[in-house]
Amino acid sequence: MKSSTLEIEVVDYGAGSRLSNTPLRKVSTIARNAQKTPKFSQLLYRLIQYFQPTVLFDLGTSLGITTLYEAKAAPEAQIYSFEGCPQTAQVAAKNLQKLQASKVELVIGNLDETLVTQTQQVSQIDFVFFDANHRYEPTVRYFLQCLKKAHQDSVFVFDDIHWSPEMEKAWIEIQAHPSVTVTIDLFFVGLVFFGNKQPKQHFVLRF
């Protein structure tokens, strides 16, 4: 992806990029600026491999690299990966096909609409990676929407919790939610757990 010469038109429903505000972007630029580091992707892989979710929501497909880590960590899981931009989703689909991630279903369109529809169609959600609209109100709204199908063994992972004052506000509100029992702040991501037999605790760890 970093060597790709393809240029696509990006439709961005979220907070946008801090590095580029033009709709036409090279795939190589997206790969350099938007993709997660191997360190984070491997953490996500280990979390999913350990908890083995059967239904996983991936909010923010981008080029599908992180989605592939998720798919390889739990090959039998049904993954719904949400992407707002059709041309970005096309690139992701090719990557998923190339590495035979057949259990990933791309859900394309405005997440404000697609997330509501998809949560209504599943009986439970075991794992969610939130990496979409990096603003306070949408982040909290997506959390509450996914919470409707969560259970005590579900795991929610929020990216960029300290990316902006809005994201920090959202993280604090999520921590305070009555359904949340344990959170772990790794600075760049936040982990959320719901076990009802645990006392409410919040941890900050150097990672």
Side-chain angles (χ1 to χ4, degrees), residues 139-179:
T139 297
V140 173
R141 177 158 42 87
Y142 300 157
F143 163 70
L144 294 174
Q145 183 65 37
C146 291
L147 191 62
K148 294 178 181 179
K149 294 298 178 72
H151 50 84
Q152 72 163 7
D153 295 321
S154 295
V155 179
F156 286 7
V157 180
F158 290 85
D159 191 36
D160 292 329
I161 57 175
H162 299 295
W163 188 75
S164 66
E166 281 197 63
M167 286 301 292
E168 290 194 341
K169 181 181 178 183
W171 176 242
I172 290 171
E173 187 163 325
I174 290 164
Q175 286 181 303
H177 193 278
S179 297

Side-chain angles (χ1 to χ4, degrees), residues 4 58 75 78 106 114 124 127 134 143:
S4 173
D58 175 41
Q78 178 60 58
L106 285 176
T114 58
Q124 67 181 45
F127 195 102
H134 285 39
F143 163 70

Side-chain angles (χ1 to χ4, degrees), residues 120-136:
Q120 292 172 346
Q121 295 178 5
V122 298
S123 60
Q124 67 181 45
I125 301 175
D126 306 311
F127 195 102
V128 187
F129 176 45
F130 295 82
D131 185 24
N133 193 328
H134 285 39
R135 293 190 177 102
Y136 162 75

Side-chain angles (χ1 to χ4, degrees), residues 176-191:
H177 193 278
S179 297
V180 173
T181 53
V182 174
T183 65
I184 302 175
D185 181 344
L186 300 176
F187 187 70
F188 58 97
V189 296
L191 312 182

Side-chain angles (χ1 to χ4, degrees), residues 186-203:
L186 300 176
F187 187 70
F188 58 97
V189 296
L191 312 182
V192 176
F193 302 90
F194 304 94
N196 55 24
K197 295 181 180 180
Q198 298 173 291
K200 200 172 186 72
Q201 293 177 295
H202 306 299
F203 302 94

Side-chain angles (χ1 to χ4, degrees), residues 14-189:
S17 170
R18 285 175 167 171
L19 301 173
S20 176
N21 58 7
T22 177
L24 285 176
R25 298 178 201 168
K26 290 183 177 180
V27 167
S28 58
T29 301
I30 298 172
R32 285 195 300 269
N33 297 336
Q35 293 308 299
K36 301 296 175 287
T37 64
K39 179 180 179 179
F40 170 77
S41 298
Q42 290 161 14
L43 170 66
L44 193 62
Y45 176 94
R46 291 196 300 270
L47 284 168
I48 294 171
Q49 190 178 52
Y50 179 80
F51 288 104
Q52 285 297 301
T54 57
V55 178
L56 191 154
F57 276 26
D58 175 41
L59 275 55
T61 313
S62 189
L63 303 178
I65 308 302
T66 304
T67 315
L68 282 165
Y69 275 92
E70 298 167 350
K72 296 303 179 180
E76 299 305 314
Q78 178 60 58
I79 299 175
Y80 299 95
S81 191
F82 297 79
E83 176 54 49
C85 174
Q87 291 193 20
T88 305
Q90 288 179 7
V91 177
K94 291 179 180 178
N95 288 331
L96 294 169
Q97 184 179 23
K98 183 177 181 180
L99 293 184
Q100 301 178 336
S102 59
K103 298 283 284 185
V104 177
E105 179 178 331
L106 285 176
V107 184
I108 304 169
N110 190 336
L111 188 58
D112 292 350
E113 302 165 0
T114 58
L115 183 61
V116 173
T117 301
Q118 198 62 53
T119 52
Q120 292 172 346
Q121 295 178 5
V122 298
S123 60
Q124 67 181 45
I125 301 175
D126 306 311
F127 195 102
V128 187
F129 176 45
F130 295 82
D131 185 24
N133 193 328
H134 285 39
R135 293 190 177 102
Y136 162 75
E137 190 277 333
T139 297
V140 173
R141 177 158 42 87
Y142 300 157
F143 163 70
L144 294 174
Q145 183 65 37
C146 291
L147 191 62
K148 294 178 181 179
K149 294 298 178 72
H151 50 84
Q152 72 163 7
D153 295 321
S154 295
V155 179
F156 286 7
V157 180
F158 290 85
D159 191 36
D160 292 329
I161 57 175
H162 299 295
W163 188 75
S164 66
E166 281 197 63
M167 286 301 292
E168 290 194 341
K169 181 181 178 183
W171 176 242
I172 290 171
E173 187 163 325
I174 290 164
Q175 286 181 303
H177 193 278
S179 297
V180 173
T181 53
V182 174
T183 65
I184 302 175
D185 181 344
L186 300 176
F187 187 70
F188 58 97
V189 296

